[in-house]
Amino acid sequence: MAGKILSTKDNLQILHEDNHIIVINKRVGDIVQGDKTGDKPLSDVVKDYIKQKYNKPGEVYLGVVHRLDRPTTGIVVFAKTSKALTRLNESFKNRETEKTYWAVVKKFPPIEKDTLVHFLKRNPKNNTSKAHTKEVPESKKASLDYLVIKKLDNYFALEINLHTGRHHQIRAQLTAIGCPIKGDLKYGFDRSNPDGGIHLHARKLVLTHPVTKETVIFVAPVPNDVVWKAI
């Protein structure tokens, strides 16, 4: 994990901020919400930033709407009011948002463009999900579209549109077609990335603003990394 820069209140990559929401471009290693590691979560970092910027006394309200896996990067939306949180939770739950990811894989997929449907079963012991072609007990249906958008020297870049939001969905489904994500040892890639991250980036998010009701589109720049920059 050497050389990795985590987000702090002074270096936050803010994509959008208004009175109701704040949208962050998450770095590798940022953890969205507190867990058993005890590491400071991104939600607390954003609270520190708001407290400092607006000179707020007392506790700062911030609602966690959705999460990204720790080794991934890209768009994370937080709610600055309870009203915004309730409405955003509804729109994410009802799949009224459009989520686009970019992933880098070593192997060309079986076909250039496809819809993948699997049944994902979570294994809490090692915190992974396995993609099955048929329904198995305690599995959840997972579906996504992918398209090869660029051939790099040693890799291929995919654009992925999620239809469902399952645990480790993209990672498990791409591994199931023989295309583990660059750096993702947990899902079968042969080598880790120097920063401990994986080449999966939440690139674009389209949603209805919880208060203004306008359609808003957020796009997160890719990390400063040779492979990402080649895309």
Side-chain angles (χ1 to χ4, degrees):
M1 297 272 185
K4 185 173 72 219
I5 297 168
L6 296 175
S7 292
T8 68
K9 67 178 177 3
D10 303 312
N11 72 3
L12 266 184
Q13 302 179 81
I14 299 164
L15 301 172
H16 171 87
E17 184 185 4
D18 60 40
N19 291 335
H20 312 284
I21 61 174
I22 182 165
V23 184
I24 305 295
N25 188 9
K26 172 181 138 26
R27 291 177 166 92
V28 164
D30 287 342
I31 183 165
V32 175
Q33 208 172 14
D35 71 354
K36 61 180 185 294
T37 61
D39 294 345
K40 184 165 188 162
L42 191 57
S43 53
D44 281 1
V45 173
V46 177
K47 281 183 187 177
D48 290 347
Y49 157 81
I50 292 170
K51 194 176 176 69
Q52 180 178 291
K53 182 177 178 182
Y54 301 102
N55 203 7
K56 282 189 180 264
E59 276 289 298
V60 170
Y61 179 88
L62 194 77
V64 177
V65 180
H66 63 126
R67 293 165 191 75
L68 284 183
D69 299 340
R70 191 165 192 170
T72 62
T73 55
I75 297 171
V76 183
V77 180
F78 295 100
K80 290 169 80 175
T81 64
S82 55
K83 182 164 80 170
L85 179 64
T86 305
R87 289 177 180 173
L88 285 168
N89 281 342
E90 282 297 303
S91 69
F92 272 79
K93 195 174 93 190
N94 299 331
R95 299 188 195 139
E96 293 158 359
T97 57
E98 288 174 42
K99 298 178 191 165
T100 304
Y101 287 77
W102 282 0
V104 176
V105 298
K106 196 163 195 170
K107 209 175 124 215
F108 195 84
I111 49 179
E112 192 170 339
K113 180 183 181 183
D114 202 5
T115 298
L116 301 181
V117 179
H118 290 97
F119 293 88
L120 260 55
K121 182 166 182 177
R122 191 168 178 171
N123 179 348
K125 281 204 184 83
N126 61 4
N127 190 33
T128 58
S129 286
K130 186 165 172 54
H132 299 267
T133 49
K134 294 193 171 67
E135 196 165 358
V136 298
E138 293 168 38
S139 64
K140 290 179 175 173
K141 190 176 179 182
S143 139
L144 59 78
D145 293 332
Y146 75 80
L147 165 71
V148 178
I149 53 170
K150 189 148 188 187
K151 183 186 185 313
L152 307 167
D153 288 348
N154 300 306
Y155 302 101
F156 298 92
L158 311 184
E159 184 163 276
I160 295 145
N161 287 305
L162 275 185
H163 308 150
T164 52
R166 306 297 182 207
H167 175 255
H168 290 184
Q169 178 179 335
I170 297 173
R171 299 165 70 179
Q173 286 196 274
L174 288 183
T175 290
I177 60 165
C179 296
I181 294 167
K182 181 178 181 310
D184 200 354
L185 295 178
K186 198 172 235 186
Y187 285 91
F189 199 82
D190 55 2
R191 228 173 39 245
S192 62
N193 288 338
D195 63 4
I198 64 175
H199 275 71
L200 178 62
H201 181 66
R203 171 68 174 170
K204 185 175 160 193
L205 179 66
V206 183
L207 55 81
T208 303
H209 190 284
V211 179
T212 66
K213 301 300 182 213
E214 291 171 324
T215 299
V216 284
I217 300 170
F218 305 115
V219 177
V222 292
N224 187 15
D225 154 285
V226 179
V227 176
W228 278 128
K229 292 297 182 191
I231 304 172

